[in-house]
Amino acid sequence: MLRRSLIIAALLAFATGCSTVKGWFGDKSGKALEPAELVEIANPVSPRQAWSRKLGDEKAALGLRQRPAIEGERLFVADDAGRVMALDLNTGATLWDSEVVRTGKEGSRLLFWRRKAIDGHVTGGPGVGNGMVVAGGRNGEVVALDAETGAERWRAQVTSEVIAAPLVAGDRVVVRSNDGRTFGLDVADGTRKWVFDRGLPTLSVRGNGEPVTDGNLVYLGYDDGTVIALRGSDGLMAWSQLVAEPEGRNELARMADVDGELAVGYTELYATSFAGQTLAISTQNGRPLWNRDTGGYSGLALLGDRVVLADPDGTLWALDRSSGSALWKQEGLARRWLTTPAVQGDFLVVGDVEGYLHWVRASDGTLAGRDRLGRDPIRATPQVSPTGVLLAIDSEGRLAAYPTPAQ
């Protein structure tokens, strides 16, 4: 689509490490816009890799913010060459990937499946649930695979590229396409049950936040600065709430995308906007509970009493869940284009433009440790398993697992 070809993809490609719009198009300040120099950490923890591996080759570089999905002892990943893979969470060993092949000694019941997942490119990370893995592609094709074997269950077609990971929730698979439409597909066979269509602004950040649910409603952030709540059964809108008003004299200044991960609490939803606003919303009626003039392009992490996010300048903020007041901020990672924070035990973990992972103490925001996954940007939010293992992947498919560091 021509409209999407004009979108500022470089915003989240982290190629420049710039922190201002002026810097994206060239700026004479040079070094002042480079990622902040990393300083020595006092009494650091020592994160260690339990295992690491490379997914695919250089031609299979991952797309925008594709993150792993975890279910039980399995890890599911996708790459931009059309492959979906299941890996052992504890070892990183491949359990199944593309074309169907049986391996093992004669008489063995151990099966490794290889099945072609999608014709073309997988552009959205995988969604997992109900024993299924679902991924979408550049041509709008959606494929559902059996999580245990990799066998194909069904295929469906939506109207545009799928960037966000699908949501598997109850009897629906919720899929966002890149033209503003969201589809509710039958979990059993992929037939289309409903479509929600919302117009898009002329210019926006390339990327769509993943649908999330509280078991009742499905929530989506949109490029016009709003959050929408849909009924999962029929796709009807329950409520809509503006997070940030698009303001400015031109389309660039008016970008207010809600593209990062939404955080669902008990009766509240938290959303942050590229325009620099964070909002707490009642899930019952969409009423704002509080707002804060701090926001960003990535999403939010939710802890017991606080919500944490990174702003465009690379400052990490912890905000009180009940009031939005700032509890602490960490400015030592300036201009590093941080991912959405992940919660690993007592730590928050973010990836950056230079391939570093940073461990930050959730209690007070102090820097606790770091490790370099590679030299390519980490764009996808790190994921944490129920056993506390952190999985991180960079833009060229380097994947590593980290147990929770000892204090």
Side-chain angles (χ1 to χ4, degrees):
M1 294 175 63
L2 177 60
R3 190 192 75 82
R4 281 297 181 187
S5 69
L6 298 176
I7 293 172
I8 305 177
L11 256 172
L12 297 180
F14 305 113
T16 63
C18 298
S19 60
T20 64
V21 172
K22 185 178 181 182
W24 302 333
F25 298 98
D27 188 273
K28 294 182 179 179
S29 58
K31 203 168 184 64
L33 295 176
E34 293 180 1
E37 183 177 351
L38 298 176
V39 299
E40 185 176 352
I41 299 173
N43 302 315
V45 297
S46 299
R48 64 173 183 85
Q49 293 186 7
W51 55 262
S52 64
R53 59 170 294 171
K54 181 74 165 61
L55 302 175
D57 53 30
E58 295 302 320
K59 295 181 180 179
L62 298 189
L64 185 69
R65 291 193 299 188
Q66 289 190 20
R67 77 331 175 241
I70 300 169
E71 186 176 61
E73 295 295 308
R74 295 192 173 210
L75 171 69
F76 303 95
V77 293
D79 66 26
D80 196 43
R83 300 170 66 222
V84 177
M85 304 173 63
L87 310 178
D88 185 285
L89 178 65
N90 299 307
T91 65
T94 301
L95 302 178
W96 54 258
D97 64 12
S98 328
E99 314 156 359
V100 175
V101 173
R102 294 190 177 192
T103 65
K105 296 181 180 180
E106 184 176 354
S108 172
R109 299 178 60 85
L110 181 62
L111 299 181
F112 289 86
W113 289 85
R114 298 177 178 269
R115 175 173 294 276
K116 184 175 182 182
I118 292 180
D119 293 323
H121 300 281
V122 179
T123 48
V128 62
N130 292 347
M132 297 170 50
V133 182
V134 186
R138 188 163 295 163
N139 60 2
E141 189 174 21
V142 180
V143 62
L145 306 174
D146 187 279
E148 183 68 24
T149 65
E152 183 177 312
R153 290 193 178 183
W154 49 258
R155 289 177 183 246
Q157 188 72 38
V158 298
T159 53
S160 183
E161 179 183 19
V162 178
I163 293 178
L167 169 69
V168 184
D171 59 357
R172 294 287 179 266
V173 176
V174 182
V175 180
R176 297 189 67 170
S177 64
N178 210 31
D179 56 5
R181 296 183 177 95
T182 300
F183 298 82
L185 308 179
D186 190 284
V187 74
D189 58 13
T191 55
R192 186 181 300 181
K193 296 300 183 181
W194 52 260
V195 180
F196 178 80
D197 191 359
R198 187 174 183 85
L200 297 174
T202 304
L203 191 66
S204 66
V205 179
R206 176 174 169 81
N208 289 324
E210 301 163 8
V212 297
T213 184
D214 59 3
N216 179 33
L217 297 174
V218 174
Y219 306 102
L220 307 113
Y222 273 88
D223 295 347
D224 60 1
T226 59
V227 170
I228 306 293
L230 303 179
R231 297 193 324 203
S233 58
D234 54 19
L236 294 180
M237 186 170 69
W239 52 257
S240 173
Q241 177 59 54
L242 187 68
V243 176
E245 182 76 46
E247 296 178 335
R249 296 184 178 181
N250 55 57
E251 294 297 332
L252 184 63
R254 291 174 58 82
M255 289 193 300
D257 306 53
V258 180
D259 278 341
E261 291 94 332
L262 304 173
V264 182
Y266 298 111
T267 59
E268 69 282 349
L269 179 77
Y270 302 90
T272 189
S273 166
F274 179 77
Q277 293 284 327
T278 297
L279 191 67
I281 308 167
S282 168
T283 56
Q284 305 299 312
N285 52 26
R287 180 176 59 86
L289 301 175
W290 55 257
N291 73 298
R292 173 87 185 187
D293 291 335
T294 300
Y297 52 85
S298 60
L300 306 125
L302 198 59
L303 289 83
D305 63 346
R306 63 198 63 190
V307 60
V308 184
L309 69 145
D311 69 20
D313 293 327
T315 299
L316 279 172
W317 292 86
L319 307 178
D320 185 273
R321 279 182 60 168
S322 61
S323 66
S325 60
L327 300 177
W328 54 255
K329 66 178 180 178
Q330 169 55 252
E331 299 176 288
L333 303 174
R335 303 177 301 280
R336 288 195 157 268
W337 286 96
L338 304 178
T339 66
T340 301
V343 181
Q344 186 185 33
D346 296 328
F347 301 101
L348 300 163
V349 187
V350 292
D352 76 12
V353 66
E354 293 186 329
Y356 286 97
L357 290 163
H358 305 271
W359 277 256
V360 178
R361 290 185 176 85
S363 58
D364 58 11
T366 57
L367 294 172
R370 72 173 66 101
D371 188 63
R372 195 168 197 179
L373 180 57
R375 296 189 176 274
D376 295 292
I378 299 173
R379 299 168 181 160
T381 303
Q383 302 295 302
V384 179
S385 76
T387 57
V389 177
L390 181 130
L391 287 307
I393 190 168
D394 71 14
S395 62
E396 293 297 324
R398 295 176 185 86
L399 172 66
Y402 294 84
T404 304
Q407 290 278 13

